[in-house]
Amino acid sequence: MDTAEIRRRFVAHFERNETVGAHQAVASASLLLDDPNLLFVNAGMVPFKPYFLGQETPPYDRAVSVQKCVRTPDIEDVGKTTRHGTFFEMCGNFSFGDYFKEGAIELAWDLVTRSRADGGFGLEESRLWPSVYVDDPEAVALWMKVTGLPEERIVKLGKRENYWSMGVPGPGGPCSEILYDRGPEFGPDGDFGTTSRLVMPTELEDRYLEIWNLVFMQDELSAVRSKDDFDIHGSLPKRNIDTGMGLERVAFLLQQKQNMYEIDVMFPVIERAMALTGRTYGKNHEDDVRFRVVADHVRSSMMLIADGVTPGNEARGYVLRRLLRRAVRSMRLLGYEDPALPELLPVSRDRMGETYTELHHDWDRIARVAFAEEEAFRKTLQAGTQIFDLAAGEVRASGATTLSGDRAFALHDTYGFPIDLTLEMASEAGLSVDETGFRALMTEQRERAKADARSKKGQHADTTVYRGILDAHGPTDWVAYETDETESTALALLTGGAPATSLTQGEVGELVLDRTPFYAESGGQVADAGTIEFDGGRLEVLDVQRPVRGLVVHQVRVVDGEFAPGALLHAKVDPEWRVGARQAHSGTHVVHAALREVLGPSALQSGSYNRPGYLRLDFGWTSGLSPQQVRDIEQVSNEALRADLPVGWQYMTLPEAKEWGAIALFGETYDDQKVRVVEIGGPWSRELCGGTHVSHSSQIGTIVVTGEASVGSGNRRIEAFTGVEGFAYLARERDVVDQLTGLLKAQPDDLVGRVSDLVERLRQAEKELEKGRVAQLLAGAAQLASSATKVGDVNVVAQRADGASGGDVRTLALDVRSRMSPSEPGVVVIVGSTGSGADTKVAVVAAVNDEARSRGLSANALVRAVGPLLGGKGGGKDDVAQGGGTDASRIDEALALVPTEVARS
């Protein structure tokens, strides 16, 4: 049974169910959700968290989904076990206050045991072992009732295994699992009927494979100190069901494979890797692990890029970069040196694209991002090899045979140089690596990351008070699309998250109205500004947010009077603000459409921000735009404004919107049943959007692109002014041109040529000055050499050269050394400095002659000795070394140290 069929059967089983009722099929959410606790969606229930936390009311009582997931903690262990992958799909069914334990158990058992001919998975009952939480006798009885199994076939486990919580106060409850016994070739017998245990031993996990987890969400937890240490405050008002069946795990059982890497959607990548490398999967354990890493990481990277992630050095981007580079590195270890991703990524696309059609539609962008990262990594490997060679040379020069852990960690963390490559190259160089030190630094880094993650736990804002307002008064009558002022009534006033009775002049609070014209910040558009007037006073609106769906909350400050709820209010958006906001948001759509027209359909928006008169748009692109491309984007945008294109919007279902060609933005969550599509010029620009817009494109006024730049690997940003602000920008540019024409006595069309001539003349003058300065420096070289100080029998020159750059300092040091007697040991240390304050740059160069080197003196050692005094460091070879720093105040102190270091040697 192929993976796509397993997925289809799972959804159909619940969508058509007549026992507890049909489930609403919910499409997979993006891997990127706005959740402060998560980099990526890591479980099937994550998109439903607002319903489980009581922050939002679910639009259905029952749901089924197959959710894309990514888990990153065990990337280093991918390929070493049969069960764990980075990207995986979680099949889940959910009940929001509807059916509970018995229904969940019946539904799961029926699907896994029903014959394949009747639409089930046909797993043998004799191999299935239900597990329960040890203190949940109700679950034991229900499993026996539903399955007919004796109690000794029910595995009882403790909190760590079979009690679920989110790690923070909130919902929790006991779990049940369905375990599949793969047979004695995968591990020892569990002896579950005779052995009492609270934790599943590691040696049993491969044999007794967990394929389905059923969470019975029934408890409200008041404190969670660890996975098995928490307080149960009481019962939840509504009991929920959250289940997760691992698609890949069921696939390798039904396809009779040894592990998830050999299933139909992954093994073709291994087959292609075998063809490229000439090696065979199944013959060598180390090679097998590398093949599995390739299969997992290629698929995982592709799915992340498809959902809008681009490689970078932080957070999501760092995870993607690490996955891509580990895949490339694994292919190199398998003996393949050429670019690998162009060969492997299309194979994974073809296998996953049946379900995720966006992989085909968006292939150009996905491929461009991945292939560019591989090329960058190939350059990194080249540069890292040079850095490694330098480090290895220093180790050998010091007489040691071990590369320190901190140097190996720097290669890994700073340069992206894999530790396994460092180990391999060190071995070839006759060196070892302090792996213990390296692992300790890696552990420290992971612990810092975990501590940061823990510090973010609980950042789900406490929305209880907002939820209470919504339950008491219903959703806000939000009329921002229709009007910019309303007569309203105050429903609630809050300060510090608690109800308040009044606000005095200057105080800030939160105000909930029965109806409001104010736009709440979302979709990149900032909140409206304006005022709320009451009898005897006025409130200034500082911000507008939606803490829970359906409720609009205004942050206000009392400008005049004393405010208390009860009086009739007049809410009014600043009309100039609203006009500017509409221009900027519609302008963002126009620039996005122009961008795609100029660069192609794979140039997709990955983020935006707009406020009155200004917009910025981030988009996935791997190279900088040419000036002509930027001009073309601006021209296409303004041609759309001149064409006075109609701007309209309508509501439809998400599938209808996608069929219509509307663009959904990365990382956004949409309601399947109702989305708003904004179009400008018909099909020219169609996007899912909830913002405020002009009614015709000409009302935007103008679009003036002011810049285009990189905002991380694979991401670019365009900035522009719109409306009056755009004209003001052009006016400032015109004033600059007027001033230049006056200063240069030239016509505007001649300015570029005149300025270019001036720049060239200035450049030539600087070259002449540079020649004179170098000549002056070298003219003093003979005098410096002749005035060397004797330290023992070593001639020492330690001199400062203010105003000399690094190149000048090196030239002078080598010239002085060449003028010293070659038959006597000679040492030269020159320190130069340029700039001042925060821009100070210090350069130090040490040069020793052959006779000095024969006495054990080393330029590298001298630079390392004085470098820290100058606020920097450096190094090099025994004959010449150089370094840099930022502290010019200690140059004399550093130079005074030179004779001491020479004497010590």
Side-chain angles (χ1 to χ4, degrees):
M1 189 182 299
D2 63 33
T3 302
E5 177 62 20
I6 297 171
R7 188 188 294 108
R8 282 191 291 267
R9 289 190 180 206
F10 184 89
V11 174
H13 175 68
F14 291 95
E15 195 174 23
R16 303 168 187 170
N17 182 264
E18 298 178 355
T19 305
V20 300
H23 291 55
Q24 174 66 48
V26 179
S28 173
S30 166
L31 286 166
L32 320 180
L33 287 184
D34 185 16
D35 189 314
N37 295 332
L38 298 173
L39 278 179
F40 306 108
V41 171
N42 64 355
M45 60 78 64
V46 170
F48 303 102
K49 280 170 67 173
Y51 307 149
F52 290 131
L53 291 170
Q55 296 170 346
E56 296 180 16
T57 301
Y60 29 68
D61 294 331
R62 298 169 298 278
V64 58
S65 71
V66 181
Q67 174 62 43
K68 299 179 291 186
C69 301
V70 165
R71 289 183 185 169
T72 60
D74 303 315
I75 287 178
E76 296 286 351
D77 295 324
V78 166
K80 298 175 183 177
T81 75
T82 63
R83 310 178 309 278
H84 296 104
T86 311
F87 173 86
F88 60 96
E89 296 177 79
M90 187 60 73
C91 305
N93 59 290
F94 307 91
S95 166
F96 308 104
D98 194 67
Y99 64 88
F100 198 49
K101 288 182 184 179
E102 184 169 4
I105 292 171
E106 286 178 346
L107 288 166
W109 190 257
D110 179 42
L111 180 59
V112 297
T113 59
R114 193 191 321 147
S115 72
R116 298 185 188 184
D118 291 332
F121 296 148
L123 296 178
E124 313 95 305
E125 291 188 18
S126 61
R127 287 178 173 266
L128 298 175
W129 292 74
S131 77
V132 299
Y133 175 46
V134 66
D135 291 328
D136 188 7
E138 180 188 11
V140 175
L142 287 172
W143 276 109
M144 294 171 64
K145 173 185 174 183
V146 170
T147 67
L149 295 174
E151 185 170 355
E152 57 267 24
R153 283 286 305 279
I154 313 294
V155 182
K156 302 176 182 67
L157 299 171
K159 291 179 180 178
R160 184 166 294 275
E161 296 283 355
N162 273 8
Y163 193 95
W164 176 88
S165 78
M166 294 175 61
V168 294
C175 304
S176 272
E177 298 169 335
I178 299 179
L179 310 175
Y180 183 86
D181 181 2
R182 302 173 70 196
E185 62 269 33
F186 293 96
D189 191 285
D191 292 325
F192 297 122
T194 58
T195 304
S196 175
R197 53 169 64 91
L198 297 180
V199 178
M200 178 70 78
T202 304
E203 63 269 18
L204 297 182
E205 289 182 347
D206 270 348
R207 174 170 177 175
Y208 296 93
L209 185 71
E210 176 197 337
I211 61 171
W212 204 332
N213 185 30
L214 316 178
V215 177
F216 309 131
M217 218 176 289
Q218 63 188 40
D219 301 325
E220 182 177 351
L221 308 185
S222 58
V224 180
R225 291 169 289 277
S226 69
K227 188 168 179 61
D228 51 8
D229 183 13
F230 48 81
D231 298 332
I232 297 177
H233 176 69
S235 298
L236 289 172
K238 287 186 177 180
R239 300 183 301 179
N240 304 313
I241 288 294
D242 155 31
T243 87
M245 185 194 83
L247 179 64
E248 288 81 2
R249 294 190 181 189
V250 173
F252 79 72
L253 290 180
L254 296 182
Q255 294 172 21
Q256 298 181 334
K257 302 298 182 181
Q258 296 294 303
N259 54 64
M260 63 175 289
Y261 309 101
E262 299 174 12
I263 64 176
D264 59 324
V265 293
M266 296 185 72
F267 195 67
V269 175
I270 293 179
E271 289 179 315
R272 183 59 185 152
M274 285 194 289
L276 294 172
T277 62
R279 302 198 188 185
T280 303
Y281 180 77
K283 285 191 174 183
N284 175 285
H285 175 70
E286 288 187 358
D287 283 355
D288 287 354
V289 170
R290 290 165 184 159
F291 278 123
R292 293 169 189 160
V293 167
V294 169
D296 174 271
H297 288 6
V298 164
R299 183 172 78 139
S300 301
S301 300
M302 178 181 68
M303 300 305 291
L304 287 173
I305 297 172
D307 273 3
V309 184
T310 54
N313 291 326
E314 295 182 353
R316 292 165 173 161
Y318 178 73
V319 172
L320 174 59
R321 170 162 289 166
R322 189 177 176 200
L323 292 171
L324 285 168
R325 294 188 171 193
R326 276 173 55 84
V328 172
R329 173 61 184 149
S330 294
M331 286 297 289
R332 290 173 70 91
L333 291 173
L334 288 166
Y336 189 73
E337 298 287 337
D338 294 332
L341 294 180
E343 300 287 343
L344 300 173
L345 213 61
V347 179
S348 189
R349 173 203 61 197
D350 292 344
R351 301 307 302 177
M352 297 296 293
E354 178 185 349
T355 300
Y356 300 104
T357 56
E358 63 269 22
L359 296 175
H360 293 288
H361 300 155
D362 203 17
W363 178 247
D364 288 346
R365 181 189 63 84
I366 295 169
R368 187 173 60 249
V369 171
F371 300 167
E373 179 62 19
E374 178 172 19
E375 182 58 31
F377 184 47
R378 288 167 64 83
K379 293 177 181 177
T380 293
L381 289 176
Q382 183 178 2
T385 299
Q386 295 172 350
I387 296 165
F388 172 84
D389 289 343
L390 178 62
E394 292 175 4
V395 171
R396 285 193 294 264
S398 68
T401 59
T402 302
L403 185 72
S404 67
D406 60 341
R407 295 298 291 272
F409 180 76
L411 278 166
H412 170 84
D413 194 55
T414 305
Y415 302 103
F417 210 61
I419 182 60
D420 52 0
L421 184 57
T422 300
L423 292 168
E424 181 181 313
M425 293 178 64
S427 177
E428 292 170 355
L431 302 174
S432 61
V433 178
D434 176 15
E435 285 192 72
T436 302
F438 171 81
R439 302 293 176 194
L441 290 169
M442 287 294 292
T443 299
E444 287 179 18
Q445 186 185 61
R446 289 194 190 100
E447 289 304 317
R448 285 193 298 270
K450 289 179 181 178
D452 180 60
R454 283 193 296 269
S455 71
K456 294 178 181 178
K457 284 278 189 180
Q459 283 193 13
H460 290 285
D462 184 358
T463 59
T464 305
V465 64
Y466 304 116
R467 184 79 229 173
I469 297 170
L470 182 63
D471 290 343
H473 300 285
T476 305
D477 183 12
W478 186 70
V479 291
Y481 296 150
E482 292 82 30
T483 183
D484 59 5
E485 56 184 305
T486 60
E487 300 299 321
S488 305
T489 301
L491 301 179
L493 179 65
L494 308 171
T495 57
T501 56
S502 64
L503 293 176
T504 59
Q505 189 164 335
E507 286 188 324
V508 175
E510 292 180 306
L511 180 63
V512 179
L513 306 177
D514 62 339
R515 67 194 309 252
T516 180
F518 285 91
Y519 182 82
E521 179 182 2
S522 66
Q525 180 177 335
V526 300
D528 277 335
T531 59
I532 298 174
E533 297 176 351
F534 59 95
D535 187 17
R538 180 165 55 95
L539 306 173
E540 177 187 6
V541 177
L542 305 176
D543 191 16
V544 188
Q545 298 290 333
R546 295 177 185 269
V548 294
R549 182 181 294 180
L551 191 73
V552 178
V553 178
H554 311 72
Q555 186 185 61
V556 296
R557 177 172 55 214
V558 181
V559 178
D560 298 309
E562 179 175 342
F563 175 74
L568 187 65
L569 307 175
H570 183 72
K572 183 177 182 180
V573 177
D574 181 337
E576 291 299 316
W577 180 281
R578 174 64 67 80
V579 168
R582 284 173 168 162
Q583 289 175 324
H585 203 146
S586 295
T588 303
H589 285 222
V590 168
V591 171
H592 189 200
L595 187 76
R596 289 163 54 78
E597 183 172 321
V598 173
L599 300 182
S602 61
L604 284 172
Q605 176 181 329
S606 57
S608 69
Y609 170 80
N610 50 80
R611 64 172 188 266
Y614 169 83
L615 69 88
R616 73 170 186 239
L617 184 147
D618 296 347
F619 60 100
W621 203 251
T622 55
S623 59
L625 305 190
S626 68
Q628 185 60 51
Q629 286 174 316
V630 174
R631 286 193 294 271
D632 289 346
I633 292 166
E634 185 179 66
Q635 181 174 339
V636 171
S637 298
N638 283 294
E639 286 175 351
L641 270 56
R642 186 178 62 184
D644 196 27
L645 301 174
V647 180
W649 50 86
Q650 56 183 295
Y651 292 95
M652 59 187 71
T653 67
L654 183 58
E656 288 171 342
K658 291 181 177 179
E659 181 69 24
W660 210 38
I663 297 173
L665 302 184
F666 296 125
E668 293 290 336
T669 303
Y670 300 102
D671 184 342
D672 276 1
Q673 303 305 308
K674 184 180 180 182
V675 294
R676 181 173 182 255
V677 177
V678 174
E679 64 173 5
I680 300 176
W684 186 70
S685 170
R686 283 176 176 158
E687 296 189 22
L688 274 62
C689 179
T692 58
H693 289 273
V694 298
S695 57
H696 285 82
S697 62
S698 62
Q699 295 172 346
I700 298 171
T702 188
I703 291 175
V704 181
V705 176
T706 60
E708 185 276 334
S710 170
V711 286
S713 177
N715 256 328
R716 310 293 299 180
R717 171 174 292 169
I718 278 186
E719 295 181 274
F721 287 119
T722 60
V724 173
E725 285 77 6
F727 289 114
Y729 179 86
L730 293 175
R732 291 193 296 271
E733 295 284 290
R734 181 192 60 202
D735 291 343
V736 171
V737 171
D738 288 346
Q739 292 177 48
L740 287 174
T741 56
L743 287 171
L744 298 175
K745 307 300 182 186
Q747 293 300 311
D749 290 345
D750 299 329
L751 279 179
V752 174
R754 289 291 302 275
V755 171
S756 295
D757 289 342
L758 285 173
V759 170
E760 181 59 29
R761 288 163 60 187
L762 181 61
R763 186 180 292 116
Q764 292 299 325
E766 288 176 342
K767 285 183 178 179
E768 293 301 318
L769 287 172
E770 178 72 11
K771 289 179 182 178
R773 190 158 52 83
V774 172
Q776 185 178 12
L777 276 172
L778 296 179
Q783 182 180 352
L784 287 175
S786 63
S787 61
T789 301
K790 284 283 187 180
V791 178
D793 61 348
V794 180
N795 294 315
V796 177
V797 173
Q799 181 68 34
R800 68 184 294 159
D802 294 333
S805 65
D808 297 337
V809 170
R810 184 181 181 89
T811 299
L812 179 59
L814 294 177
D815 195 36
V816 171
R817 185 183 68 175
S818 70
R819 296 172 184 271
M820 301 175 79
S821 172
S823 61
E824 298 179 7
V827 171
V828 181
V829 177
I830 307 293
V831 182
S833 64
T834 57
S836 60
D839 295 326
T840 298
K841 293 183 179 179
V842 179
V844 55
V845 175
V848 303
N849 61 16
D850 290 343
E851 187 63 28
R853 290 169 63 198
S854 69
R855 305 287 186 92
L857 291 165
S858 166
N860 180 51
L862 289 170
V863 167
R864 286 183 173 274
V866 303
L869 292 176
L870 302 173
K873 57 184 179 179
K877 299 181 180 179
D878 289 341
D879 60 338
V880 180
Q882 64 186 52
T886 57
D887 189 356
S889 67
R890 302 185 71 182
I891 289 178
D892 292 337
E893 185 181 347
L895 291 171
L897 181 62
V898 173
T900 303
E901 290 296 315
V902 170
R904 182 178 298 151
S905 301

